[in-house]
Amino acid sequence: MDEKVKQSRQPGCAIAILLLLFAATGARITRADEGGGPDRTLYLALEEGAGKVVRMHAVFGAEEKSYTVSETPEKLRRDFTKLYRKLDKAQATRAVVRERLGRYEQSFYGPVAALLDAAEQVQFIIDEHTIQYAFDLVDFKGRPLFLQKPVSYSTARRRPREGAFSPDWSGLAVSDPSADPERGVAFLQEILPGTTYHDMKDLDLERFRAIPPKDITLLSLHGAVEKRGANMDLNKERLFAGDVARLGSRIVYLDSCQMGASYPLLAALRERGNAYLVAPLFSNEAGDSSTKTILFFFSHLSRGDAPAVAMYRAKIRLHELYHTKKYQRMLEKVFPFRVYLQE
């Protein structure tokens, strides 16, 4: 997480104000799994086949489609990689996004437009090569997909489920005040009484590794994806994938830069039974929009929404708040966090 927001505010005041903002949202969608009905999720997987041809595979209920994407693998990688770098520096202007992604609207979504219209959620199947691709920033009918449908990501097709929250669960919240100036992670205590809260200064690596498994882990720490692996600052030490994975959480929410862009982190969490990862694809803001994302997401989650639906509702509300800002700033505030479904 970057340090663009330096101001520190009283956490109780910030939470109270943001809850009033949250109450104003009217976004409503039908839950995908309500009543144990049919799966209304559209699954999309991009694959590079023989002869350097890129194909998109789509599954929606009993219907399957496979179709060729017009661009070469090299062109596709170049577009999404350059876009990622711009997103990470909050430089993804509308012109940049149009230049890099404009050609993919019809190529990706045209052949399955009717399925997208009918779908209640979209799940992108990714691997170590495509995890950084901002698929849901591609327009559908002239508007970014992430503002139209709940979106999740996974390494294999996994049906979204409801009930990813119980007030009886245990929780862990850790806050670095320079990454979490408004103490947004403290909100977890309000909806989950069994939450243990720590200021980062009160922990070292040994103490962190002694924390027992938790149902929900919420960390607001500075993070980065480096050659030695995805890691987060813990005072003068580092938390790596294994340190978080050992908690075996139902939901791991990392309010830390780039943690949603690490395939090894995702794999480590999955291997240790962590069911969901919620994390930013690129560098996110310290406080303000990141605090609001925490509050909106967990409020919807506590009301029974599945994680992808809770994040979709959060992003709709964030977009209402920030849509008048410059496009690159709007994306920095609204777009970073994504939901990975692991089981």
Side-chain angles (χ1 to χ4, degrees):
M1 177 178 296
D2 62 27
E3 294 186 281
K4 293 173 186 170
V5 176
K6 297 287 187 180
Q7 309 97 305
S8 186
R9 303 176 186 172
Q10 292 298 318
C13 182
I15 289 171
I17 292 171
L18 288 168
L19 283 175
L20 288 175
L21 290 171
F22 169 77
T25 183
R28 300 186 61 82
I29 75 164
T30 304
R31 293 171 181 164
D33 252 7
E34 193 164 27
D39 186 2
R40 305 295 296 175
T41 303
L42 174 62
Y43 300 92
L44 294 171
L46 193 70
E47 296 180 5
E48 184 176 334
K52 293 190 175 181
V53 173
V54 178
R55 297 186 66 79
M56 185 75 84
H57 300 282
V59 176
F60 182 68
E63 191 165 353
E64 297 189 23
K65 284 190 175 184
S66 181
Y67 48 95
T68 301
V69 174
S70 58
E71 301 298 331
T72 65
E74 293 80 8
K75 174 62 173 171
L76 190 144
R77 282 194 293 270
R78 185 162 59 249
D79 282 334
F80 278 98
T81 298
K82 289 187 176 181
L83 176 64
Y84 180 85
R85 292 170 183 161
K86 292 291 187 180
L87 287 168
D88 194 54
K89 296 177 181 178
Q91 296 174 350
T93 63
R94 192 183 298 274
V96 166
V97 174
R98 188 180 299 117
E99 176 189 4
R100 294 300 168 191
L101 297 187
R103 64 180 59 84
Y104 296 109
E105 177 176 358
Q106 177 60 31
S107 192
F108 281 5
Y109 304 140
V112 290
L115 302 184
L116 256 176
D117 283 334
E120 293 181 355
Q121 296 193 38
V122 178
Q123 184 178 115
F124 291 97
I125 314 302
I126 51 88
D127 59 22
E128 65 270 26
H129 304 295
T130 59
I131 188 170
Q132 293 186 357
Y133 289 10
F135 287 119
D136 52 332
L137 189 52
V138 176
D139 279 354
F140 174 59
K141 295 184 176 179
R143 193 161 178 252
L145 182 64
F146 80 92
L147 291 175
Q148 301 187 59
K149 302 282 182 178
V151 174
S152 63
Y153 285 77
S154 185
T155 58
R157 197 169 73 191
R158 295 182 173 93
R159 180 174 179 169
R161 298 177 301 164
E162 281 195 73
F165 180 86
S166 167
D168 298 324
W169 284 356
S170 61
L172 170 66
V174 179
S175 174
D176 174 351
S178 69
D180 183 27
E182 298 165 325
R183 298 298 195 276
V185 303
F187 178 64
L188 191 61
Q189 293 175 299
E190 298 193 22
I191 62 170
L192 202 63
T195 295
T196 302
Y197 173 89
H198 295 279
D199 275 332
M200 184 185 70
K201 63 180 176 58
D202 298 325
L203 287 174
D204 57 21
L205 192 54
E206 182 179 0
R207 289 190 184 96
F208 186 90
R209 288 173 174 171
I211 295 172
K214 299 291 183 181
D215 292 304
I216 294 182
T217 295
L218 172 56
L219 309 180
S220 185
L221 306 169
H222 291 292
V225 176
E226 302 171 325
K227 289 183 179 180
R228 55 181 170 172
N231 64 88
M232 292 168 284
D233 294 350
L234 187 69
N235 298 302
K236 295 182 179 181
E237 299 176 292
R238 296 283 189 275
L239 291 179
F240 287 90
D243 299 311
V244 180
R246 56 164 292 277
L247 292 166
S249 299
R250 302 171 192 264
I251 297 175
V252 175
Y253 189 116
L254 302 180
D255 181 33
S256 304
C257 288
Q258 303 176 359
M259 292 299 100
S262 172
Y263 193 84
L265 171 63
L266 194 66
L269 292 172
R270 184 174 63 252
E271 289 168 3
R272 296 294 295 270
N274 297 268
Y276 285 92
L277 170 65
V278 181
L281 177 64
F282 48 90
S283 297
N284 62 302
E285 189 174 35
D288 189 34
S289 62
S290 294
T291 302
K292 292 179 177 68
T293 305
I294 290 171
L295 301 184
F296 296 158
F297 172 80
F298 280 104
S299 293
H300 282 303
L301 191 77
S302 69
R303 297 179 184 191
D305 285 333
V309 177
M311 184 55 71
Y312 168 72
R313 292 181 186 275
K315 289 186 177 186
I316 292 298
R317 183 58 184 146
L318 291 166
H319 187 256
E320 290 172 356
L321 293 172
Y322 298 121
H323 73 278
T324 59
K325 292 188 175 293
K326 290 183 178 180
Y327 194 76
Q328 61 269 34
R329 287 289 288 155
M330 182 277 291
L331 288 181
E332 180 193 30
K333 289 174 173 289
V334 178
F335 184 64
F337 284 83
R338 57 167 52 170
V339 174
Y340 290 99
L341 179 55
Q342 299 271 65
E343 64 175 25

